Amino acid sequence: MSLAMRVEEKLYQNRYIVDAGKPHIAIRPHDKPSENLLAMTRICPAGCYAETSSGQVEITPDGCLECGTCRVLCEASGDITWNYPRGGFGVLFKFG
Amino acid sequence: MIEEKFDAIVIGAGMAGNAAAHTMASRGLKVLQLERGEYAGSKNVQGAILYADMVEKIIPNFREEAPLERHLVEQRFWMMGDRSHTGLQYRNDDFNEDKPNRYTIIRSQFDRWFSKEVQAQGALVICETTVTELVSDAYGKVIGVRTDRRGGTIFADVVILCEGVNGLLGARAGLRDTPKAEHVALAVKEMHFLPRETIESRFNLHGDEGVVIEAAGVISKGMTGMGFVYTNKESVSVGMGCLVSDFATNNDTPNGLLEAFKNHPSIKPLLEGSEVKEYAAHLIPEGGYKTIPQLFGDGWVVCGDAAQLNNAIHREGSNLALTSGRLAGEAIFQIKSRREPMTKQNLALYKQYLDDSFVMKDLKKYKDMPALLHANSQNYFLAYPQLVSKAMENFLRVDGTPKLDKEKATVASFVKERRWTGLFGDAWRLARAWR
Ligand SMILES: Cc1cc2nc3c(=O)[nH]c(=O)nc-3n(C[C@H](O)[C@H](O)[C@H](O)COP(=O)(O)OP(=O)(O)OC[C@H]3O[C@@H](n4cnc5c(N)ncnc54)[C@H](O)[C@@H]3O)c2cc1C
Ligand code: SF4
C-alpha cells in the first residue's frame, strides 16, 4: 500500500454497466472553464474530469461513482447538465 | 406500463424508502416502489453503523434475519496529529447484550434483504427504473411519476420522495433547492478485506464484537471533515469526507486525503496486507436543521437524506431516514383510513409526527454546529489538533525539563496560536452550539 494508489487502479475493482453512447453528464461547450469546473479536475473522486491541452475541461463519465459532487458545484451555473444513468446502468456497488 | 392506480408510490429503495414502503404495505396499502439500481442497495454507500432501535420499530425480529456484521462494543475517537493521535476510547462489555444497540452493516447486502421484506408485505418493487419526472395536475398537486421505461404516467394518491441526498426529482419539480456546496460533504470509502482472525486480533475483538474509530484533525488539512475505520466480519470500511465547498478551495483531492489517512502511522498497521475490493463515493447532508426544506405538499412528502435529515455531529443518518420513512408511512395510513385526500393540509400530519420525534429534536439541538465548524475549520481541524499533539508530547517526553516549564510552554503555544480571545471565543461558540 503506497501513497501512489491511483484512482484509475481503484475504479478497476468496481462493477459498472456502462450505457455506451449515452453519457449521463455533459459539459457546456466553453472557451475558458469556470473556476468550479476547473476544480472538478481535482475534486471528482473518479477522475472523470480532465483539462485538455487547449485549456478546456472535458468529461469521460464511464467511471462515475454517481456521487453528485459536480452537480452541486457546477449545475446551477449551467456549466454541466447532470442526470442519473438509465435504470440498471452505471456503477453497481457490491458492498457500498 | 402500469395501468392501475396506487395508494402510494415510493421513490428509492434506500433506508427511508424501504421504511416507508414496509410501513404502508404491512398496513394493507397498495404500494409501488421504484429503484434505479439493479437491486435495492446497488447505488448506496454508507460507513456503516446501523442503529437497532429504528429498525426494530419496523421489523421487530430483524436480528434473526438481517445480514448484520458486528455488534459494537467499543468506540474510539481519535484526534489526529501529523504522526500521532490522541484518543478517547470507550469499551463496555454490557454492549455484549442479547439485543445489541448498534451494528456494522454492508449497505448493499442490508438494503437487498430489507427490500425482500418490503416485497413480502405485498409492495410492488421495480428496480432498474429511474424516475425521470413528477407529474402534477393543473392545480400543482403531484399525482404520479414518469420513468425511463416505456409507457406513460403511473398514478398514485401520494408520492413519497426517498431519493437520497442527490435527489433530482424534488429539485426539478421546484419542491426544494439542490443542496449547496457548503451543506454537503463528499465522502470516499474503500472496503478492505482481511481474514476474520486478523481483524479480531488487531482490534482486540472476540467473535462478532466490533469497534469503530472516528478520526478528526490534521487528516482533513484544515477542512471540515472526518475519517473513519469500521470493522465488519471479514472486512474493514475505511473512509474520509470533507465539505464540498472546502474541497473546491483547497488543493487536496478526496482520494489523496484517503490515501494519506490510510498511510497515517496510527491507521496503517490496522490495514496492512488487506485486499481492497471496492472504491466508492457519496455525499452526506451536513447542513442540519437550518437547511431542512419544505417536507410535504399536495400529493407528496420527502424523507431521509433528500430532506437533509442527517445528524452530522453524531454521524447518524440511516436512523433518521428509517424514522422519517416510517412516520411518513404512518401519517399516510392515518389519512387514508379516514378516507381523506392527500392534500398539503392533511399531510402536515407527517411533519407533526417528525416534530414530536427525536429526528427534529436532535437536529434542532445542533442547529448552529454546521455553520460554526465550517467557519472555524482551520482552528478545529488543524490548529487545535496540532496543539493537542504537541501538548501530549511535552507531557510524556521525559527529557530533564522541569514540569512547570513544560506546562508554561504548552499554554504559551496555545495562546500564541489563537490568542486568549480567540481560544475563549472558539470554546464559547462551541459550547453554545452544542447546548
Ligand atoms: C460514507 C458514508 C458514511 C455514512 N455512515 C453512516 C453511519 O455510520 N450511520 C448512519 O446512520 N448513517 C451514515 N451515513 C448516512 C446514511 O447513509 C444516509 O443518511 C442514509 O443512507 C439515507 O437514506 P435515504 O433512504 O434517505 O437515502 P439513500 O440510502 O441514499 O437511498 C436513496 C435511494 O433512492 C434511489 N434513487 C434516487 N433517485 C432515484 C430516481 N430518480 N429513481 C429511482 N430511484 C432513485 C437511489 O438509487 C437509492 O437507492 C453515511 C453516509 C455516507 C455517504
Ligand atoms: S458525479 Fe461524482 S464521480 Fe461522477 S463525475 Fe461527478 S464528481 Fe465525478
Side-chain angles (χ1 to χ4, degrees):
Chain A
M1 198 164 64
S2 81
L3 257 176
M5 177 99 185
R6 286 165 8 112
V7 168
E8 292 77 2
E9 296 169 59
K10 294 188 177 192
L11 298 179
Y12 205 67
Q13 303 294 327
N14 292 355
R15 197 174 148 236
Y16 292 95
I17 301 181
V18 176
D19 200 356
K22 288 195 178 169
H24 61 288
I25 306 170
I27 299 181
R28 178 176 58 185
H30 54 274
D31 293 327
K32 196 170 164 293
S34 71
E35 222 167 274
N36 280 345
L37 196 53
L38 203 56
M40 285 319 303
T41 62
R42 182 171 45 75
I43 307 171
C44 169
C48 295
Y49 288 81
E51 205 179 340
T52 63
S53 51
S54 50
Q56 283 88 38
V57 171
E58 60 176 21
I59 183 167
T60 319
D62 290 2
C64 176
L65 298 162
E66 296 167 29
C67 67
T69 302
C70 56
R71 176 180 170 234
V72 164
L73 266 187
C74 303
E75 192 189 48
S77 58
D79 281 332
I80 65 168
T81 53
W82 204 107
N83 282 293
Y84 278 122
R86 269 197 298 158
F89 289 91
V91 69
L92 294 161
F93 293 119
K94 296 167 282 185
F95 310 105
Chain B
M1 170 184 168
I2 300 176
E3 299 294 331
E4 56 196 318
K5 185 180 167 195
F6 293 86
D7 290 328
I9 294 175
V10 178
I11 297 165
M15 289 291 184
N18 283 338
H22 194 284
T23 303
M24 293 185 293
S26 63
R27 285 163 176 72
L29 300 196
K30 199 162 130 192
V31 177
L32 170 68
Q33 188 180 24
L34 298 165
E35 164 59 48
R36 66 189 192 87
E38 183 182 38
Y39 55 87
S42 59
K43 296 290 184 184
N44 301 342
V45 179
Q46 194 182 326
I49 302 173
L50 180 77
Y51 303 90
D53 178 72
M54 290 75 193
V55 190
E56 214 167 6
K57 287 205 163 71
I58 300 162
I59 306 179
N61 66 337
F62 81 97
R63 290 186 180 80
E64 292 146 40
E65 315 280 337
L68 304 170
E69 292 291 313
R70 293 174 179 276
H71 65 274
L72 297 173
V73 296
E74 183 176 328
Q75 176 92 28
R76 303 178 194 169
F77 297 101
W78 285 4
M79 191 187 279
M80 313 296 286
D82 293 314
R83 294 175 50 73
S84 67
H85 75 264
T86 309
L88 174 74
Q89 194 157 341
Y90 183 75
R91 188 183 177 103
N92 190 338
D93 199 46
D94 287 348
F95 289 147
N96 277 312
E97 55 212 328
D98 279 351
K99 294 190 163 186
N101 181 252
R102 302 191 304 159
Y103 296 88
T104 50
I105 54 165
I106 291 173
R107 264 305 283 274
S108 65
Q109 295 168 3
F110 184 86
D111 288 9
R112 204 172 193 167
W113 166 81
F114 200 170
S115 179
K116 291 221 172 74
E117 295 290 310
V118 169
Q119 291 170 56
Q121 298 301 324
L124 176 61
V125 179
I126 304 181
C127 293
E128 299 187 282
T129 304
T130 303
V131 180
T132 50
E133 207 183 342
L134 296 179
V135 179
S136 307
D137 67 12
Y139 305 98
K141 180 179 193 293
V142 174
I143 51 169
V145 302
R146 256 190 279 278
T147 75
D148 62 354
R149 296 234 183 175
R150 231 161 12 93
T153 310
I154 315 171
F155 295 99
D157 290 337
V158 62
V159 174
I160 302 160
L161 292 148
C162 303
E163 48 178 338
V165 57
N166 191 27
L168 302 181
L169 296 167
R172 289 204 177 143
L175 307 180
R176 63 181 128 89
D177 292 335
T178 303
K180 302 217 166 10
E182 61 272 29
H183 296 148
V184 282
L186 165 61
V188 284
K189 180 197 161 184
E190 285 178 6
M191 285 296 273
H192 287 245
F193 281 75
L194 283 163
R196 233 192 128 109
E197 312 79 64
T198 311
I199 294 176
E200 282 153 26
S201 66
R202 275 184 197 173
F203 288 88
N204 189 20
L205 301 168
H206 299 278
D208 285 346
E209 289 176 348
V211 47
V212 302
I213 303 174
E214 312 273 13
V218 305
I219 49 169
S220 67
K221 307 271 180 83
M223 297 187 275
T224 307
M226 280 184 86
F228 63 86
V229 178
Y230 296 165
T231 54
N232 305 313
K233 280 198 175 109
E234 294 181 334
S235 61
V236 178
S237 309
V238 187
M240 177 82 218
C242 296
L243 284 183
V244 169
S245 54
D246 282 357
F247 269 130
T249 52
N250 187 289
N251 279 325
D252 294 279
T253 67
N255 184 53
L257 285 187
L258 178 62
E259 288 299 312
F261 180 53
K262 281 159 51 187
N263 283 285
H264 188 284
S266 299
I267 302 288
K268 193 173 177 178
L270 298 172
L271 305 175
E272 204 89 68
S274 64
E275 190 190 347
V276 182
K277 293 198 183 171
E278 189 166 82
Y279 171 66
H282 205 276
L283 295 178
I284 308 177
E286 305 242 321
Y289 189 76
K290 292 183 175 168
T291 59
I292 297 172
Q294 174 66 31
L295 294 169
F296 59 94
D298 280 327
W300 64 274
V301 296
V302 56
C303 310
D305 276 8
Q308 298 274 323
L309 301 177
N310 201 302
N311 184 343
I313 306 300
H314 282 265
R315 316 271 298 148
E316 294 176 20
S318 64
N319 52 338
L320 279 66
L322 287 164
T323 303
S324 57
R326 175 174 63 82
L327 294 177
E330 285 176 6
I332 288 164
F333 174 70
Q334 279 303 323
I335 298 165
K336 195 84 198 171
S337 353
R338 288 190 233 128
R339 297 175 184 279
E340 288 185 13
M342 296 295 161
T343 56
K344 181 172 183 178
Q345 200 182 6
N346 283 335
L347 287 165
L349 185 62
Y350 162 53
K351 175 76 174 13
Q352 196 181 315
Y353 284 173
L354 265 187
D355 284 341
D356 290 341
S357 74
F358 78 94
V359 173
M360 289 306 221
K361 288 181 181 156
D362 283 1
L363 289 174
K364 204 167 183 173
K365 175 177 191 301
Y366 294 118
K367 65 184 187 322
D368 295 325
M369 283 297 282
L372 177 69
L373 288 179
H374 184 36
N376 294 277
S377 66
Q378 284 288 332
N379 293 334
Y380 291 130
F381 295 93
L382 199 61
Y384 293 159
Q386 280 168 333
L387 290 170
V388 167
S389 174
K390 195 70 209 155
M392 287 306 288
E393 188 178 348
N394 278 349
F395 187 73
L396 294 171
R397 211 184 266 285
V398 176
D399 55 7
T401 315
K403 300 288 186 236
L404 190 62
D405 294 357
K406 285 193 170 201
E407 266 172 34
K408 279 186 186 151
T410 299
V411 172
S413 65
F414 270 80
V415 174
K416 184 168 156 252
E417 184 70 31
R418 283 291 293 146
R419 305 225 154 55
W420 279 116
T421 47
L423 274 177
F424 183 73
D426 288 344
W428 191 73
R429 277 189 291 268
L430 192 66
R432 258 186 65 106
W434 195 269
R435 216 176 27 154

